[in-house]
Amino acid sequence: MASHRKSRTPGTRVAGIRTPALATAALTSVALLSQTATAAPTDDGKPSLEEVEKKVGDLYRQAESATEKYNAAKEQTAKQRKRVDTLLDDVAQRTQKLNDAREELGSYAAAQYRTGAGVPDTATFLLADTPQDVFDQRQVMDRMTGRQKEAVDDYVTQQSETMKKRQEATESLRTLTESQDDLKTAKATVQKKLTDARELMAQLTAEEKARLAAIEKKKQEEAARQAAELARQQAEQQQAREEAARQDAGGSDGTGSSGTATSPSPSTDSSYGTKAEKAIAFARAQIGKPYVWGATGPGSYDCSGLTQAAWKAAGVALPRTTYDQVNAGTTVPVSQAQPGDLVFFYDDVTHVGIYIGNGMMIHAPKPGTYVREESIFYDGESSVHSVVRPA
C-alpha cells in the first residue's frame, strides 16, 4: 500500500500511545524507506517515483476520508428521510382531523341557521306561544351555542397543530435536501480521488511498478518487525503481571487477599474476551472479500463497515463511522492493546482495523484490495492514532 504518512503536530497524540522502542523503530523505518524510495528528478519533467508514490498514497487517504464523510452523510440522510416520512404521515392525519372539525363546525352553523338559534331578543320571546316554548327555545339555543364553541375550539386547535407539523416537515425536508447534497459531494470526491490515483498508476512503466512493489515489500517487512516488537513487549508485560500475581498470592493472609492490591491484566476480563473472540471470528471469516467504499457487507466492506459488522456479531452496536467509533469505548495505549480492540489511524481518524494480537489486525485497507490480516504498523508507527476498547 502506498504511504499515507502525514506530519503530526507534537502534543496531539493520545497520551500513552507511543513507546520509546516503537518510536525508534519508526525512525529506522523512515530512514530505510527514504534510502530505498528516493529517485532523482527526471529530465522530461515527470514526477519521480517517490513523488508518485506519495501522491497516490495521499489520494487514497483523501478518498478514505471522503468515504467516512459519505458514510456519515448517508446515515444522516436515512435518519432525516425517516423523520420526514413520519412528519408527512402526521400532517396527513392532522389534516384529516382538521377537515373533520371544519365539517362539524359547518353542521352546527347550518343547524343554527335552520332553527333560527342566535342571540336571544324580544321577538324570540314574543313568537313563543307559551312559557314552555320560551324555555325550550332557550335550552336548544344554549346547547347549540355550547357545542358550536367546542367545535370552534377543536377546529382552532387542530389548525394550529397542523400548521406546526407542516412547518416541521418543511424544515426537515430542507435538512434532508442538505444531507442529500452532502452525500452527492462526498460521493463525487471519493470517485475523483480514486480516478486520479488510478490514472497516476497507469502512467508508470512496468519497471517503475516493479520498483514500487519492492519498496512496498520492504515497508511491510519493517511493519512485521514492529509488530513482533510489540508482541514481545506485550508478552513481557503479561509475564510481569503474572509474576506480580504469584508474589501477591504468596503473601496473602490465606483468605485470598493481601495488603497490596495488584492491577488485573486487561485480558482477564472474561466477558470482554468472549465478545472479542466472536468479533474476531466474524472479521476473520470476511478475509478475502473486497474493499468497497460505503459498503457494510455481507459481500464487501469498507474499514468502519467491517469493524461495525464484526462487533455487531458479538452483540455490540458500534456507530457507522470512524469518527464516532473512536469515541465508542475506552482508549488504551498500544502497548496494552488486546484482541478485539479497535485500532484507529491518522490524525483525522479515517481508518480503523480490529486488533487480533501480536501486533496484527484484520482490516479492509483501501479500494482495489481485500479484507486481510496485517501489521498495525502497515503504514508506519506514526500513523497509529489510538486504540479503543469498545465493550
Side-chain angles (χ1 to χ4, degrees):
M1 177 176 176
S3 175
H4 290 164
R5 190 175 294 104
K6 60 187 290 186
S7 60
R8 182 183 299 278
T9 302
T12 59
R13 178 176 292 277
V14 177
I17 290 301
R18 303 183 70 166
T19 61
L22 292 179
T24 301
L27 293 175
T28 303
S29 175
V30 170
L32 175 63
L33 291 177
S34 297
Q35 294 170 4
T36 307
T38 301
T42 57
D43 295 334
D44 57 4
K46 291 176 60 178
S48 67
L49 190 60
E50 183 184 39
E51 291 171 335
V52 171
E53 181 195 32
K54 182 180 184 305
K55 181 63 176 177
V56 170
D58 288 345
L59 286 170
Y60 276 125
R61 282 275 292 107
Q62 292 165 18
E64 195 162 34
S65 177
T67 294
E68 289 306 310
K69 292 178 180 178
Y70 170 86
N71 292 338
K74 184 177 181 181
E75 187 175 45
Q76 177 63 26
T77 298
K79 290 180 179 178
Q80 201 61 37
R81 182 176 288 112
K82 183 177 181 180
R83 173 170 171 74
V84 167
D85 290 343
T86 300
L87 284 171
L88 290 178
D89 288 342
D90 193 9
V91 167
Q93 293 174 9
R94 291 182 182 280
T95 299
Q96 182 59 50
K97 290 180 180 180
L98 181 62
N99 291 336
D100 293 343
R102 184 183 293 113
E103 290 178 4
E104 183 177 11
L105 183 61
S107 66
Y108 284 135
Q112 279 189 320
Y113 178 79
R114 288 193 303 271
T115 60
V119 179
D121 55 21
T122 306
T124 302
F125 300 127
L126 294 176
L127 292 174
D129 295 329
T130 65
Q132 184 63 43
D133 289 339
V134 173
F135 177 78
D136 291 342
Q137 279 188 347
R138 278 187 169 179
Q139 289 293 100
V140 171
M141 182 184 65
D142 289 343
R143 287 197 300 271
M144 292 295 290
T145 302
R147 289 174 183 174
Q148 182 182 21
K149 185 178 184 302
E150 290 177 1
V152 169
D153 289 343
D154 183 50
Y155 177 79
V156 171
T157 299
Q158 293 296 338
Q159 186 180 47
S160 176
E161 291 179 353
T162 300
M163 291 178 64
K164 180 179 179 181
K165 289 299 179 180
R166 282 176 179 170
Q167 181 63 30
E168 288 183 23
T170 299
E171 289 297 318
S172 292
L173 281 170
R174 181 184 59 78
T175 303
L176 175 59
T177 300
E178 292 176 353
S179 296
Q180 290 173 329
D181 290 342
D182 291 342
L183 191 64
K184 292 177 182 178
T185 299
K187 182 176 181 179
T189 301
V190 174
Q191 293 173 332
K192 178 66 166 58
K193 300 301 180 183
L194 294 180
T195 298
D196 290 346
R198 294 189 189 103
E199 289 178 350
L200 270 175
M201 290 298 294
Q203 295 172 10
L204 297 179
T205 65
E207 180 184 357
E208 289 172 328
K209 289 180 180 179
R211 288 169 59 196
L212 276 181
I215 293 172
E216 177 65 17
K217 182 179 179 180
K218 288 183 178 297
K219 181 179 175 181
Q220 294 307 315
E221 289 173 352
E222 176 60 19
R225 191 194 68 76
Q226 289 180 292
E229 173 63 17
L230 175 60
R232 184 190 65 77
Q233 290 180 6
Q234 291 178 329
E236 289 180 351
Q237 291 176 0
Q238 180 63 24
Q239 185 178 4
R241 284 192 294 266
E242 292 173 354
E243 178 62 26
R246 283 194 295 270
Q247 292 178 359
D248 184 62
S252 67
D253 59 6
T255 61
S257 63
S258 67
T260 303
T262 302
S263 299
S265 163
S267 61
T268 58
D269 185 345
S270 59
S271 174
Y272 179 79
T274 300
K275 294 176 182 178
E277 287 177 2
K278 292 180 180 179
I280 292 173
F282 179 92
R284 200 179 298 281
Q286 312 313 309
I287 290 178
K289 293 184 178 180
Y291 175 106
V292 175
W293 62 274
T296 56
S300 58
Y301 298 88
D302 63 16
C303 66
S304 56
L306 175 64
T307 51
Q308 182 189 48
W311 271 102
K312 182 180 180 181
V316 176
L318 290 182
R320 174 64 182 95
T321 68
T322 55
Y323 310 128
D324 292 324
Q325 288 183 10
V326 74
N327 296 315
T330 303
T331 301
V332 299
V334 171
S335 61
Q336 294 182 18
Q338 66 183 73
D341 292 350
L342 302 178
V343 186
F344 295 89
F345 298 85
Y346 314 117
D347 287 339
D348 54 357
V349 197
T350 51
H351 189 67
V352 63
I354 183 167
Y355 190 67
I356 59 174
N358 295 323
M360 304 295 287
M361 67 177 175
I362 296 174
H363 70 146
K366 65 177 183 178
T369 63
Y370 299 84
V371 176
R372 65 193 184 200
E373 185 177 315
E374 194 164 29
S375 166
I376 66 171
F377 304 109
Y378 78 109
D379 202 20
E381 190 266 347
S382 64
S383 69
V384 177
H385 175 275
S386 56
V387 177
V388 172
R389 191 155 300 153

Short mmCIF file of all heavy atoms in Angstrom, two decimals, residues 1 10 17 19-20 29 44 132 150 192 208 211 262 267 373:
data_model
loop_
_atom_site.label_atom_id
_atom_site.label_comp_id
_atom_site.label_asym_id
_atom_site.label_seq_id
_atom_site.Cartn_x
_atom_site.Cartn_y
_atom_site.Cartn_z
N MET A 1 0.85 -1.20 0.00
CA MET A 1 0.00 0.00 0.00
C MET A 1 0.88 1.24 0.00
O MET A 1 1.89 1.31 0.67
CB MET A 1 -0.90 -0.02 1.25
CG MET A 1 -1.75 1.22 1.37
SD MET A 1 -2.84 1.07 2.80
CE MET A 1 -3.59 2.67 2.74
N PRO A 10 3.23 17.99 17.33
CA PRO A 10 3.56 17.48 18.66
C PRO A 10 2.47 17.82 19.66
O PRO A 10 1.93 18.92 19.67
CB PRO A 10 4.87 18.21 18.99
CG PRO A 10 5.46 18.56 17.66
CD PRO A 10 4.29 18.86 16.78
N ILE A 17 0.16 6.43 23.89
CA ILE A 17 0.05 5.63 22.68
C ILE A 17 1.41 5.11 22.24
O ILE A 17 1.59 3.95 21.94
CB ILE A 17 -0.60 6.45 21.56
CG1 ILE A 17 -2.08 6.68 21.89
CG2 ILE A 17 -0.48 5.73 20.24
CD1 ILE A 17 -2.87 5.42 22.05
N THR A 19 5.53 4.17 22.33
CA THR A 19 6.53 3.67 23.26
C THR A 19 7.89 3.98 22.68
O THR A 19 8.06 4.03 21.46
CB THR A 19 6.39 2.16 23.46
OG1 THR A 19 6.58 1.52 22.20
CG2 THR A 19 5.02 1.80 23.99
N PRO A 20 8.94 4.18 23.52
CA PRO A 20 10.26 4.53 23.00
C PRO A 20 10.79 3.53 21.99
O PRO A 20 11.36 3.90 20.98
CB PRO A 20 11.11 4.56 24.28
CG PRO A 20 10.15 4.89 25.37
CD PRO A 20 8.87 4.19 24.98
N SER A 29 12.59 2.85 10.23
CA SER A 29 11.77 2.56 9.05
C SER A 29 11.79 3.72 8.08
O SER A 29 11.91 3.54 6.87
CB SER A 29 10.33 2.27 9.49
OG SER A 29 9.52 2.10 8.37
N ASP A 44 12.59 14.72 -18.23
CA ASP A 44 11.43 15.08 -19.04
C ASP A 44 10.33 15.78 -18.24
O ASP A 44 9.23 16.00 -18.73
CB ASP A 44 10.85 13.83 -19.72
CG ASP A 44 10.47 12.77 -18.71
OD1 ASP A 44 10.57 13.03 -17.49
OD2 ASP A 44 10.06 11.66 -19.13
N GLN A 132 -93.50 27.61 28.24
CA GLN A 132 -92.71 26.39 27.99
C GLN A 132 -91.97 26.48 26.68
O GLN A 132 -90.83 26.03 26.57
CB GLN A 132 -93.64 25.16 27.98
CG GLN A 132 -92.88 23.84 27.83
CD GLN A 132 -91.94 23.55 28.99
OE1 GLN A 132 -92.31 23.76 30.15
NE2 GLN A 132 -90.71 23.12 28.68
N GLU A 150 -67.41 24.38 21.33
CA GLU A 150 -66.49 23.24 21.38
C GLU A 150 -65.93 22.93 19.99
O GLU A 150 -64.74 22.62 19.84
CB GLU A 150 -67.22 22.02 21.93
CG GLU A 150 -67.56 22.13 23.41
CD GLU A 150 -68.36 20.92 23.89
OE1 GLU A 150 -68.60 20.01 23.06
OE2 GLU A 150 -68.73 20.89 25.09
N LYS A 192 -13.53 10.99 -7.61
CA LYS A 192 -12.49 11.80 -8.23
C LYS A 192 -11.10 11.39 -7.72
O LYS A 192 -10.16 11.23 -8.52
CB LYS A 192 -12.74 13.27 -7.90
CG LYS A 192 -11.68 14.24 -8.45
CD LYS A 192 -11.67 14.28 -9.97
CE LYS A 192 -10.89 15.46 -10.52
NZ LYS A 192 -9.48 15.49 -10.08
N GLU A 208 8.90 0.67 -13.28
CA GLU A 208 8.60 1.53 -12.15
C GLU A 208 7.63 0.85 -11.18
O GLU A 208 7.76 0.97 -9.96
CB GLU A 208 8.00 2.85 -12.65
CG GLU A 208 9.02 3.75 -13.34
CD GLU A 208 8.39 4.95 -13.99
OE1 GLU A 208 7.23 4.85 -14.46
OE2 GLU A 208 9.04 6.02 -14.05
N ARG A 211 9.56 -1.52 -9.10
CA ARG A 211 10.32 -0.83 -8.06
C ARG A 211 9.41 -0.42 -6.91
O ARG A 211 9.79 -0.50 -5.73
CB ARG A 211 11.01 0.39 -8.65
CG ARG A 211 12.19 0.04 -9.57
CD ARG A 211 12.67 1.27 -10.33
NE ARG A 211 13.07 2.34 -9.43
CZ ARG A 211 13.23 3.60 -9.82
NH1 ARG A 211 13.01 3.96 -11.08
NH2 ARG A 211 13.62 4.52 -8.94
N THR A 262 -3.15 -5.70 43.46
CA THR A 262 -2.46 -5.86 42.18
C THR A 262 -3.42 -5.58 41.05
O THR A 262 -4.51 -6.14 41.02
CB THR A 262 -1.90 -7.29 42.04
OG1 THR A 262 -1.02 -7.54 43.14
CG2 THR A 262 -1.14 -7.45 40.75
N SER A 267 -6.49 -8.63 29.96
CA SER A 267 -7.05 -9.80 29.29
C SER A 267 -7.84 -10.69 30.22
O SER A 267 -8.37 -11.72 29.80
CB SER A 267 -5.91 -10.61 28.65
OG SER A 267 -5.02 -11.05 29.65
N GLU A 373 -5.36 -9.77 6.93
CA GLU A 373 -4.64 -9.68 8.19
C GLU A 373 -3.32 -8.98 7.92
O GLU A 373 -2.62 -9.30 6.96
CB GLU A 373 -4.41 -11.09 8.74
CG GLU A 373 -3.77 -11.15 10.10
CD GLU A 373 -3.63 -12.56 10.60
OE1 GLU A 373 -4.62 -13.34 10.47
OE2 GLU A 373 -2.55 -12.91 11.12
#
